[in-house]
Amino acid sequence: MPNTFEILTGFLSRFVEEVEGRESPDLPPEARDKLRRFARGQLPASDQAELICQLNDHPDWVATLAAEARSLRDSDGANR
Amino acid sequence: MPAAAQFEIANGTPPLIKLCLMNSAPGHLDGEHSRVHRCQQGDPEALADLREAHHFFLGNILRARGASVDETEELLADLWGDCVPANGEQPSLLDKYSGKCPVQGWLATVATRRWIDLKRKQTRRGETTRPEGGHTAMESLPAAASPDPDDVLVDLLRDSLQVAFAACPAADLLMLRLVYLHGLSQREIMRMWGWSESKVSRKLSQAMQQIEQDTLANMKRKDPWLVLAWQDFVDLCETHQIGFL
């Protein structure tokens, strides 16, 4: 069963525009590095704010950020 | 007697109710689809059964959303009338039912958007009334095309939600996306932001509450007479998302 946020974004993506993209193949290397560090909790707060603004403009990068965070599950047990 | 003439009008004060996606077990839906199919063919018995099964619920939904007793009667009389195909000249309203959601939720959505359309027309008429002249400015205007009633509800839901999303801080929206769309745990979010788990939990909860409040406030600004609870709003979005028409 979809959660409320999923229903709302699903509705918007159907009737407005793409609000949640797929993993971007042409992500700039610098942005990819920042996403990786953000996922690991190694990005300073000032850089976080800047990256979050960029993510707002590029919703397709969010999938990459999520994939980076998930990739750490087996290695450090963050999800246990 | 034509099937539409057998329909009665609901009355009474509605209890508090919630539109939910009804029983969608495969067996239940099969029976429902079979009944709808017979209605589309103009089977009077099936039409009467359909009305019997959903009329009271739809009346309560409209009343709970702010429609008066008279408006509810009028809307439902038209709705059931439109479900009856007219000798090949006019197909049944039910021909638009895709079968992707329970028919009760679909009928409630149709009734709600017709109610919104009706109220907006009444409001527009009221705005163009000039009591001192004894006639309305509307009478001197060329006839304008009404907005498609199919779009009225989608427009309202979309516009209200879009403004709320736009007002949500980018960091909050990102956190919601990561958790609710990409399945990250709160502990993973906690590590990314360097926050405590309780702070992450609080932030997620506050962000969703803010979206809810802003969305309902936006809707109220646009259509003050419409009474829609948050769960109703979400259910209507879901009904449209899964393939309304």
Side-chain angles (χ1 to χ4, degrees):
Chain A
M1 181 182 285
N3 61 63
T4 297
F5 189 75
E6 204 174 355
I7 291 168
L8 300 179
T9 52
F11 174 82
L12 283 180
S13 64
R14 183 180 162 105
F15 291 104
V16 183
E17 63 200 27
E18 188 173 8
V19 292
E20 195 60 30
R22 297 178 184 282
E23 195 164 350
S24 175
D26 53 355
L27 187 63
E30 188 190 349
R32 184 176 287 277
D33 178 61
K34 280 188 178 176
L35 292 175
R36 191 172 291 128
R37 285 193 287 138
F38 188 23
R40 285 168 166 71
Q42 297 166 353
L43 198 65
S46 56
D47 288 350
Q48 271 184 31
E50 188 190 342
L51 182 62
I52 287 169
C53 284
Q54 289 181 306
L55 284 162
N56 203 35
D57 295 335
H58 301 277
D60 49 318
W61 293 3
V62 178
T64 305
L65 176 61
E68 287 288 346
R70 276 196 300 270
S71 73
L72 302 172
R73 285 179 181 176
D74 292 335
S75 59
D76 65 6
N79 201 34
R80 280 175 226 151
Chain B
M1 181 186 293
Q6 298 173 22
F7 297 148
E8 294 170 4
I9 303 301
N11 207 339
T13 306
L16 280 175
I17 47 175
K18 162 186 170 305
L19 171 61
C20 54
L21 296 176
M22 300 295 146
N23 184 351
S24 55
H28 174 80
L29 283 179
D30 285 349
E32 190 169 84
H33 290 165
S34 161
R35 179 161 66 186
V36 169
H37 181 70
R38 286 189 291 126
C39 289
Q40 289 166 338
Q41 308 303 311
D43 180 340
E45 195 178 325
L47 285 159
D49 284 350
L50 187 76
R51 182 196 171 284
E52 174 73 21
H54 304 300
H55 187 93
F56 183 71
F57 170 84
L58 295 176
N60 282 343
I61 278 281
L62 287 170
R63 296 282 285 119
R65 291 178 180 173
S68 68
V69 173
D70 287 348
E71 288 164 343
T72 300
E73 289 177 358
E74 185 186 337
L75 285 161
L76 290 184
D78 285 348
L79 181 78
W80 294 126
D82 289 347
C83 287
V84 183
N87 296 329
E89 293 170 12
Q90 186 182 326
S92 165
L93 169 68
L94 292 163
D95 283 2
K96 293 182 177 177
Y97 174 59
S98 69
K100 291 180 181 172
C101 63
V103 72
Q104 185 160 267
W106 183 80
L107 287 167
T109 308
V110 172
T112 300
R113 71 186 186 201
R114 285 182 170 199
W115 144 243
I116 292 170
D117 192 43
L118 173 73
K119 288 302 286 183
R120 287 192 177 166
K121 282 176 181 163
Q122 287 175 353
T123 305
R124 281 198 295 274
R125 276 198 294 271
E127 283 170 356
T128 54
T129 299
R130 291 196 302 186
E132 71 278 10
H135 66 278
T136 67
M138 183 73 88
E139 291 165 28
S140 60
L141 292 173
S146 293
D148 184 349
D150 286 356
D151 297 335
V152 166
L153 184 54
V154 169
D155 288 351
L156 176 65
L157 300 174
R158 184 198 57 214
D159 295 348
S160 305
L161 199 53
Q162 255 189 311
V163 174
F165 267 61
C168 185
D172 296 5
L173 211 46
L174 174 61
M175 210 178 279
L176 290 169
R177 282 175 169 155
L178 289 170
V179 172
Y180 294 119
L181 300 184
H182 293 278
L184 294 198
S185 69
Q186 293 192 19
R187 293 196 69 183
E188 284 163 335
I189 298 295
M190 182 182 108
R191 175 177 57 197
M192 290 171 69
W193 264 264
W195 287 0
S196 68
E197 195 162 5
S198 63
K199 187 173 177 184
V200 170
S201 173
R202 212 163 43 241
K203 175 59 80 179
L204 288 167
S205 171
Q206 285 169 350
M208 278 307 292
Q209 276 177 9
Q210 198 58 51
I211 287 174
E212 174 182 336
Q213 285 171 14
D214 288 352
T215 302
L216 295 178
N218 294 331
M219 201 180 61
K220 208 71 184 166
R221 263 195 293 278
K222 200 161 188 177
D223 291 311
W225 35 264
L226 180 64
V227 182
L228 213 56
W230 177 240
Q231 193 56 51
D232 282 343
F233 186 97
V234 174
D235 288 340
L236 287 169
C237 287
E238 186 172 24
T239 305
H240 281 90
Q241 187 197 338
I242 60 180
F244 180 72
L245 292 175

PDB file of all heavy atoms in Angstrom, chain A residues 71-80, chain B residues 185-188 190-191 197:
ATOM      1  N   SER A  71      23.961   1.872  -0.570  1.00  0.00           N
ATOM      2  CA  SER A  71      25.159   1.051  -0.819  1.00  0.00           C
ATOM      3  C   SER A  71      25.979   0.850   0.465  1.00  0.00           C
ATOM      4  O   SER A  71      26.820  -0.038   0.527  1.00  0.00           O
ATOM      5  CB  SER A  71      26.027   1.703  -1.898  1.00  0.00           C
ATOM      6  OG  SER A  71      26.663   2.851  -1.370  1.00  0.00           O
ATOM      7  N   LEU A  72      25.712   1.685   1.463  1.00  0.00           N
ATOM      8  CA  LEU A  72      26.476   1.579   2.712  1.00  0.00           C
ATOM      9  C   LEU A  72      25.862   0.580   3.693  1.00  0.00           C
ATOM     10  O   LEU A  72      26.443   0.276   4.725  1.00  0.00           O
ATOM     11  CB  LEU A  72      26.535   2.959   3.395  1.00  0.00           C
ATOM     12  CG  LEU A  72      27.147   4.093   2.559  1.00  0.00           C
ATOM     13  CD1 LEU A  72      26.958   5.423   3.259  1.00  0.00           C
ATOM     14  CD2 LEU A  72      28.621   3.825   2.323  1.00  0.00           C
ATOM     15  N   ARG A  73      24.680   0.091   3.368  1.00  0.00           N
ATOM     16  CA  ARG A  73      23.951  -0.747   4.329  1.00  0.00           C
ATOM     17  C   ARG A  73      24.746  -1.985   4.738  1.00  0.00           C
ATOM     18  O   ARG A  73      24.853  -2.291   5.906  1.00  0.00           O
ATOM     19  CB  ARG A  73      22.603  -1.178   3.746  1.00  0.00           C
ATOM     20  CG  ARG A  73      21.613  -0.061   3.748  1.00  0.00           C
ATOM     21  CD  ARG A  73      20.287  -0.470   3.160  1.00  0.00           C
ATOM     22  NE  ARG A  73      19.391   0.680   3.168  1.00  0.00           N
ATOM     23  CZ  ARG A  73      18.165   0.675   2.652  1.00  0.00           C
ATOM     24  NH1 ARG A  73      17.699  -0.420   2.091  1.00  0.00           N
ATOM     25  NH2 ARG A  73      17.419   1.749   2.703  1.00  0.00           N
ATOM     26  N   ASP A  74      25.287  -2.678   3.758  1.00  0.00           N
ATOM     27  CA  ASP A  74      25.999  -3.919   4.078  1.00  0.00           C
ATOM     28  C   ASP A  74      27.361  -3.647   4.699  1.00  0.00           C
ATOM     29  O   ASP A  74      27.828  -4.407   5.539  1.00  0.00           O
ATOM     30  CB  ASP A  74      26.169  -4.761   2.807  1.00  0.00           C
ATOM     31  CG  ASP A  74      24.838  -5.272   2.323  1.00  0.00           C
ATOM     32  OD1 ASP A  74      23.930  -5.384   3.171  1.00  0.00           O
ATOM     33  OD2 ASP A  74      24.696  -5.531   1.118  1.00  0.00           O
ATOM     34  N   SER A  75      27.965  -2.525   4.292  1.00  0.00           N
ATOM     35  CA  SER A  75      29.341  -2.290   4.732  1.00  0.00           C
ATOM     36  C   SER A  75      29.443  -1.812   6.181  1.00  0.00           C
ATOM     37  O   SER A  75      30.363  -2.165   6.887  1.00  0.00           O
ATOM     38  CB  SER A  75      30.019  -1.285   3.802  1.00  0.00           C
ATOM     39  OG  SER A  75      29.301  -0.080   3.796  1.00  0.00           O
ATOM     40  N   ASP A  76      28.480  -0.992   6.627  1.00  0.00           N
ATOM     41  CA  ASP A  76      28.648  -0.465   7.990  1.00  0.00           C
ATOM     42  C   ASP A  76      27.473  -0.747   8.924  1.00  0.00           C
ATOM     43  O   ASP A  76      27.481  -0.308  10.067  1.00  0.00           O
ATOM     44  CB  ASP A  76      28.926   1.035   7.957  1.00  0.00           C
ATOM     45  CG  ASP A  76      27.747   1.819   7.428  1.00  0.00           C
ATOM     46  OD1 ASP A  76      26.674   1.230   7.198  1.00  0.00           O
ATOM     47  OD2 ASP A  76      27.889   3.021   7.228  1.00  0.00           O
ATOM     48  N   GLY A  77      26.457  -1.439   8.419  1.00  0.00           N
ATOM     49  CA  GLY A  77      25.362  -1.825   9.300  1.00  0.00           C
ATOM     50  C   GLY A  77      24.510  -0.663   9.771  1.00  0.00           C
ATOM     51  O   GLY A  77      23.864  -0.741  10.814  1.00  0.00           O
ATOM     52  N   ALA A  78      24.462   0.407   9.009  1.00  0.00           N
ATOM     53  CA  ALA A  78      23.698   1.585   9.417  1.00  0.00           C
ATOM     54  C   ALA A  78      22.213   1.304   9.531  1.00  0.00           C
ATOM     55  O   ALA A  78      21.494   1.972  10.245  1.00  0.00           O
ATOM     56  CB  ALA A  78      23.925   2.712   8.422  1.00  0.00           C
ATOM     57  N   ASN A  79      21.775   0.285   8.819  1.00  0.00           N
ATOM     58  CA  ASN A  79      20.337   0.033   8.806  1.00  0.00           C
ATOM     59  C   ASN A  79      19.944  -1.046   9.808  1.00  0.00           C
ATOM     60  O   ASN A  79      18.811  -1.466   9.863  1.00  0.00           O
ATOM     61  CB  ASN A  79      19.911  -0.365   7.388  1.00  0.00           C
ATOM     62  CG  ASN A  79      18.448  -0.157   7.171  1.00  0.00           C
ATOM     63  OD1 ASN A  79      17.882   0.776   7.722  1.00  0.00           O
ATOM     64  ND2 ASN A  79      17.836  -1.004   6.375  1.00  0.00           N
ATOM     65  N   ARG A  80      20.907  -1.560  10.551  1.00  0.00           N
ATOM     66  CA  ARG A  80      20.586  -2.639  11.495  1.00  0.00           C
ATOM     67  C   ARG A  80      20.113  -2.085  12.815  1.00  0.00           C
ATOM     68  O   ARG A  80      20.429  -0.963  13.156  1.00  0.00           O
ATOM     69  CB  ARG A  80      21.807  -3.506  11.704  1.00  0.00           C
ATOM     70  CG  ARG A  80      21.990  -4.503  10.556  1.00  0.00           C
ATOM     71  CD  ARG A  80      23.281  -5.282  10.734  1.00  0.00           C
ATOM     72  NE  ARG A  80      24.003  -5.336   9.480  1.00  0.00           N
ATOM     73  CZ  ARG A  80      25.339  -5.417   9.405  1.00  0.00           C
ATOM     74  NH1 ARG A  80      26.068  -5.423  10.492  1.00  0.00           N
ATOM     75  NH2 ARG A  80      25.939  -5.488   8.242  1.00  0.00           N
TER      76      ARG A  80
ATOM     77  N   SER B 185      16.084   4.564   5.554  1.00  0.00           N
ATOM     78  CA  SER B 185      15.624   4.511   6.945  1.00  0.00           C
ATOM     79  C   SER B 185      15.927   5.846   7.638  1.00  0.00           C
ATOM     80  O   SER B 185      16.761   6.634   7.169  1.00  0.00           O
ATOM     81  CB  SER B 185      16.337   3.385   7.682  1.00  0.00           C
ATOM     82  OG  SER B 185      17.712   3.718   7.841  1.00  0.00           O
ATOM     83  N   GLN B 186      15.249   6.064   8.747  1.00  0.00           N
ATOM     84  CA  GLN B 186      15.512   7.304   9.498  1.00  0.00           C
ATOM     85  C   GLN B 186      16.940   7.310  10.032  1.00  0.00           C
ATOM     86  O   GLN B 186      17.540   8.368  10.187  1.00  0.00           O
ATOM     87  CB  GLN B 186      14.496   7.451  10.624  1.00  0.00           C
ATOM     88  CG  GLN B 186      13.093   7.689  10.082  1.00  0.00           C
ATOM     89  CD  GLN B 186      12.098   8.119  11.143  1.00  0.00           C
ATOM     90  OE1 GLN B 186      12.469   8.584  12.206  1.00  0.00           O
ATOM     91  NE2 GLN B 186      10.828   7.964  10.840  1.00  0.00           N
ATOM     92  N   ARG B 187      17.490   6.143  10.274  1.00  0.00           N
ATOM     93  CA  ARG B 187      18.878   6.087  10.757  1.00  0.00           C
ATOM     94  C   ARG B 187      19.854   6.535   9.663  1.00  0.00           C
ATOM     95  O   ARG B 187      20.878   7.161   9.936  1.00  0.00           O
ATOM     96  CB  ARG B 187      19.219   4.665  11.222  1.00  0.00           C
ATOM     97  CG  ARG B 187      18.440   4.269  12.465  1.00  0.00           C
ATOM     98  CD  ARG B 187      19.032   3.064  13.131  1.00  0.00           C
ATOM     99  NE  ARG B 187      20.327   3.378  13.728  1.00  0.00           N
ATOM    100  CZ  ARG B 187      21.107   2.507  14.334  1.00  0.00           C
ATOM    101  NH1 ARG B 187      20.731   1.250  14.409  1.00  0.00           N
ATOM    102  NH2 ARG B 187      22.256   2.859  14.849  1.00  0.00           N
ATOM    103  N   GLU B 188      19.519   6.198   8.424  1.00  0.00           N
ATOM    104  CA  GLU B 188      20.374   6.634   7.313  1.00  0.00           C
ATOM    105  C   GLU B 188      20.291   8.155   7.137  1.00  0.00           C
ATOM    106  O   GLU B 188      21.285   8.823   6.874  1.00  0.00           O
ATOM    107  CB  GLU B 188      19.975   5.892   6.027  1.00  0.00           C
ATOM    108  CG  GLU B 188      20.485   4.455   6.025  1.00  0.00           C
ATOM    109  CD  GLU B 188      19.802   3.547   5.003  1.00  0.00           C
ATOM    110  OE1 GLU B 188      18.651   3.831   4.617  1.00  0.00           O
ATOM    111  OE2 GLU B 188      20.420   2.553   4.620  1.00  0.00           O
ATOM    112  N   MET B 190      19.574  10.201   9.525  1.00  0.00           N
ATOM    113  CA  MET B 190      20.245  10.711  10.726  1.00  0.00           C
ATOM    114  C   MET B 190      21.756  10.851  10.467  1.00  0.00           C
ATOM    115  O   MET B 190      22.372  11.858  10.804  1.00  0.00           O
ATOM    116  CB  MET B 190      19.983   9.687  11.829  1.00  0.00           C
ATOM    117  CG  MET B 190      20.507   9.961  13.169  1.00  0.00           C
ATOM    118  SD  MET B 190      20.064   8.539  14.202  1.00  0.00           S
ATOM    119  CE  MET B 190      21.630   7.780  14.412  1.00  0.00           C
ATOM    120  N   ARG B 191      22.316   9.842   9.825  1.00  0.00           N
ATOM    121  CA  ARG B 191      23.754   9.890   9.530  1.00  0.00           C
ATOM    122  C   ARG B 191      24.063  10.994   8.516  1.00  0.00           C
ATOM    123  O   ARG B 191      25.032  11.751   8.670  1.00  0.00           O
ATOM    124  CB  ARG B 191      24.219   8.543   8.967  1.00  0.00           C
ATOM    125  CG  ARG B 191      25.690   8.579   8.532  1.00  0.00           C
ATOM    126  CD  ARG B 191      26.175   7.241   8.057  1.00  0.00           C
ATOM    127  NE  ARG B 191      25.352   6.735   6.963  1.00  0.00           N
ATOM    128  CZ  ARG B 191      25.343   5.465   6.579  1.00  0.00           C
ATOM    129  NH1 ARG B 191      26.081   4.581   7.212  1.00  0.00           N
ATOM    130  NH2 ARG B 191      24.586   5.079   5.577  1.00  0.00           N
ATOM    131  N   GLU B 197      18.019  10.711  15.900  1.00  0.00           N
ATOM    132  CA  GLU B 197      16.892  10.028  15.267  1.00  0.00           C
ATOM    133  C   GLU B 197      15.572  10.724  15.599  1.00  0.00           C
ATOM    134  O   GLU B 197      14.681  10.835  14.754  1.00  0.00           O
ATOM    135  CB  GLU B 197      16.851   8.553  15.708  1.00  0.00           C
ATOM    136  CG  GLU B 197      15.953   7.718  14.817  1.00  0.00           C
ATOM    137  CD  GLU B 197      16.229   6.228  14.934  1.00  0.00           C
ATOM    138  OE1 GLU B 197      17.056   5.844  15.771  1.00  0.00           O
ATOM    139  OE2 GLU B 197      15.604   5.465  14.187  1.00  0.00           O
TER     140      GLU B 197
END
